[in-house]
Amino acid sequence: SPYALGTITAMWISMIIVFLITVLSGGHTISWLRFIYYLSYIKLAITFIKYVPQAWMNYKRKSTVGWSIGNILLDFTGGILSLGQMFVDSADSGNWQIFAGDPTKMGLSVFSIGFDILFMVQHY
């Protein structure tokens, strides 16, 4: 769709600009770690964008024919386990900042779990 193509193009352009700033500044303006964080935010946005059209199509068609619920169940399990890992890491270290300290991992888990529940409701 034109919307998805425009969004992906904007993300690629943003990534290239940040990469060039990082390289040309020798890592002084933006550190390499910050660059990797920017890439993780782009991944988070793409993950959100990939779920929305499927949810909308399922809603409009009132059907989930054509895709496997098995992949959704695996994705849901991965999201739960990812949140579980952050919880166990935080509990083990006694530092609950770890739980919210990685916004991308938290966001990916929440997006996956949320959309997977929606897909399961739409399917069953």
Side-chain angles (χ1 to χ4, degrees), residues 8-99:
I8 290 172
T9 302
M11 287 182 189
W12 270 104
I13 290 170
S14 301
M15 185 177 65
I16 290 169
I17 289 171
V18 172
F19 177 76
L20 289 174
I21 290 170
T22 304
V23 169
L24 295 176
S25 71
H28 298 296
T29 303
I30 298 174
S31 69
W32 283 104
L33 181 59
R34 180 68 55 192
F35 174 69
I36 299 299
Y37 278 134
Y38 289 151
L39 293 181
S40 71
Y41 299 143
I42 291 171
K43 178 181 179 177
L44 186 60
I46 289 172
T47 299
F48 181 75
I49 290 169
K50 80 176 181 178
Y51 284 126
V52 171
Q54 185 65 54
W56 180 250
M57 270 182 44
N58 292 349
Y59 172 75
K60 281 179 64 174
R61 292 184 306 158
K62 305 292 188 229
S63 171
T64 59
V65 172
W67 58 273
S68 171
I69 192 67
N71 289 335
I72 299 303
L73 297 173
L74 290 172
D75 194 41
F76 179 75
T77 303
I80 294 293
L81 291 174
S82 184
L83 279 179
Q85 179 191 17
M86 289 191 303
F87 179 79
V88 169
D89 286 345
S90 296
D92 183 48
S93 68
N95 180 6
W96 291 97
Q97 184 65 24
I98 294 172
F99 194 74

Side-chain angles (χ1 to χ4, degrees), residues 76-124:
F76 179 75
T77 303
I80 294 293
L81 291 174
S82 184
L83 279 179
Q85 179 191 17
M86 289 191 303
F87 179 79
V88 169
D89 286 345
S90 296
D92 183 48
S93 68
N95 180 6
W96 291 97
Q97 184 65 24
I98 294 172
F99 194 74
D102 188 352
T104 304
K105 188 170 186 177
M106 174 71 83
L108 288 172
S109 297
V110 170
F111 283 164
S112 292
I113 292 168
F115 276 103
D116 291 340
I117 289 171
L118 174 66
F119 292 144
M120 285 186 268
V121 167
Q122 287 177 336
H123 186 75
Y124 296 118

